[in-house]
Amino acid sequence: MHGMISRPPDAATKNIATSRVVLLLLVVMTGIAPISLYILVPALPVLATTFGRDISIAQMTVSLYMVGIAMSQLIMGPLSDKFGRRPVLLGGLALMVAASIACIFAETLPQLIAARFFQALGGASGMVISRAIIRDVYERDRVASMISLVVAALMIGQMVSPLTGGLIETAFGWRAIFYAVTIGAIAVAVGIAIALPETRRDRAVGSGGFRSDVGTLIKSRAFIGYVMCQVLASQIIFTFAGGGPYIVVTQMGRTSAEYGAWFATTGFAYLVGNLLCVRFAPRHSLEKLIWFGLGLQLCGSLLNLLFSFTGWNEAPAWLFGTQMIVMVGNAFVMANSAAGAISIRPEAAGTASGAMGFLQQGIGALMSQFGAYLGGHSTTTLPLTSAVLAISLLCACMMIFVVPRREVVVSETLIEQAEEEESGMM
């Protein structure tokens, strides 16, 4: 008979769960990669001019960075399950620091693009491992609220990072942006080394490894359903963001600055949705909160489609006002479906989080291009709003047809039974 899967001692777990320092570290380790993505965006025209290349080539410092984020989540999650959260986090941040220094001294644009890829590969370790740490430390019913709290704080950082990058570039030049990123990555690594204890659960003998984790997860209808619900919900953001600039600037004849202001309203709505989720998650099951979010997504996307037929949302206020409803619901769906996915097999939370993040970013790159095609090759908002409604419907179908009812598969009792079975209890 094998021993049970160990958990951190109750007192230690309680201390971690109530530590404001650990919560702050979860925020900054989640945000270091996406903030480093957006902080460079204002400097792209300067990069193109400096290196004498087309703006489309300079754009690869962003597009390949997103590929690096996707690849990192597929790699770092399983590694953190095997070797622990702390060493993988510190290794990833060390890679980010080295790559950021390489960005500072890049002499050609291809060198900068390659360095940015490795910067994302290391930095995104915080995105995937932070979700795993949350599952390690908090009970299942609190996971969604903690993810929402981290995302809410992250959203504030993402909103100000392009402005920060623009100010740094204007005052000190584009290389100064990478000095700032390097200092930030070092600070996060030092904070993790000093204040973040190891939270990974020790595996019992015979509980299996990576192959066992993957095999168990892909055979679980609940895991597949939650992951696809979360991934599809995120594609609403990518699709709308891809087509939005063409609709507002080209179709509506507005300036890019005005588009930026309107797009910020959707980010604000997403932030509000996460804050509401933090408030309501402790009192309601994650399934109820997912259904609430799906309802808002469907209502908002259906309204936007109807306004496309009537022509009302040819004005930004109608288009983005209705999309804000979608984004509030989107926050509920994404946080709670993510919590459901990483709770199916808690000792494999890193692998589950990595697979979810990889699919989200990888498919997101394609859907962003798809959204840009819909917005740039039409004269109305109808194709884009139709796509958003279709994705919302697919997202709801995952909960209807794929995720089993909680009392059958994902109740807390059965999760504990599954952990006992995996540890070899007789």
Side-chain angles (χ1 to χ4, degrees), residues 46-350:
V46 175
L47 290 178
T49 302
T50 301
F51 292 108
R53 306 297 288 266
D54 186 78
I55 189 68
S56 61
I57 304 299
Q59 180 69 25
M60 293 183 68
T61 60
V62 172
S63 57
L64 276 186
Y65 191 98
M66 293 182 66
V67 174
I69 289 178
M71 294 299 298
S72 176
Q73 301 202 53
L74 193 63
I75 296 168
M76 299 298 182
L79 286 178
S80 74
D81 286 337
K82 182 173 179 137
F83 299 108
R85 314 303 187 204
R86 272 172 53 91
V88 177
L89 269 172
L90 292 173
L93 288 168
L95 175 60
M96 184 180 192
V97 169
S100 299
I101 294 173
C103 289
I104 294 172
F105 296 102
E107 296 295 332
T108 66
L109 195 53
Q111 289 176 1
L112 181 61
I113 292 170
R116 283 279 284 174
F117 172 80
F118 287 104
Q119 188 184 52
L121 194 65
S125 59
M127 297 175 66
V128 57
I129 296 176
S130 64
R131 289 191 294 259
I133 291 174
I134 288 172
R135 185 59 187 96
D136 293 339
V137 174
Y138 298 97
E139 295 298 325
R140 179 181 186 269
D141 290 339
R142 289 196 62 197
V143 170
S145 63
M146 295 311 301
I147 290 176
S148 294
L149 184 60
V150 169
V151 170
L154 170 62
M155 286 296 298
I156 297 173
Q158 287 182 323
M159 287 178 184
V160 302
S161 57
L163 175 61
T164 303
L167 293 174
I168 292 174
E169 191 282 321
T170 301
F172 305 106
W174 65 268
R175 294 183 193 273
I177 292 175
F178 294 110
Y179 279 103
V181 172
T182 303
I183 294 171
I186 292 173
V188 174
V190 170
I192 290 171
I194 294 174
L196 183 68
E198 180 57 60
T199 63
R200 185 199 61 166
R201 304 163 185 232
D202 294 331
R203 289 181 178 272
V205 177
S207 63
F210 174 70
R211 290 185 180 180
S212 176
D213 291 340
V214 173
T216 301
L217 291 173
I218 64 176
K219 291 176 183 177
S220 169
R221 282 182 57 198
F223 174 75
I224 298 298
Y226 282 130
V227 165
M228 291 310 300
C229 188
Q230 198 270 355
V231 169
L232 286 169
S234 69
Q235 302 317 302
I236 293 175
I237 300 175
F238 287 112
T239 303
F240 190 82
Y246 297 95
I247 287 177
V248 174
V249 177
T250 304
Q251 293 184 23
M252 300 179 182
R254 309 302 176 96
T255 65
S256 56
E258 186 173 352
Y259 164 73
W262 281 111
F263 187 75
T265 63
T266 64
F268 176 75
Y270 187 74
L271 172 62
V272 169
N274 277 286
L275 292 175
L276 290 174
C277 190
V278 171
R279 181 180 179 86
F280 294 123
R283 308 179 210 170
H284 304 280
S285 69
L286 63 84
E287 287 81 6
K288 289 182 179 179
L289 294 175
I290 291 174
W291 280 114
F292 175 74
L294 288 171
L296 286 180
Q297 275 188 181
L298 286 169
C299 288
S301 55
L302 181 59
L303 279 174
N304 235 347
L305 181 66
L306 293 175
F307 292 161
S308 292
F309 281 111
T310 62
W312 289 359
N313 63 8
E314 293 298 326
W318 286 95
L319 178 66
F320 287 91
T322 314
Q323 186 66 18
M324 287 176 70
I325 300 174
V326 177
M327 294 307 297
V328 172
N330 192 265
F332 277 86
V333 176
M334 290 184 64
N336 288 280
S337 55
I342 63 178
S343 296
I344 298 301
R345 186 176 171 90
E347 69 273 23

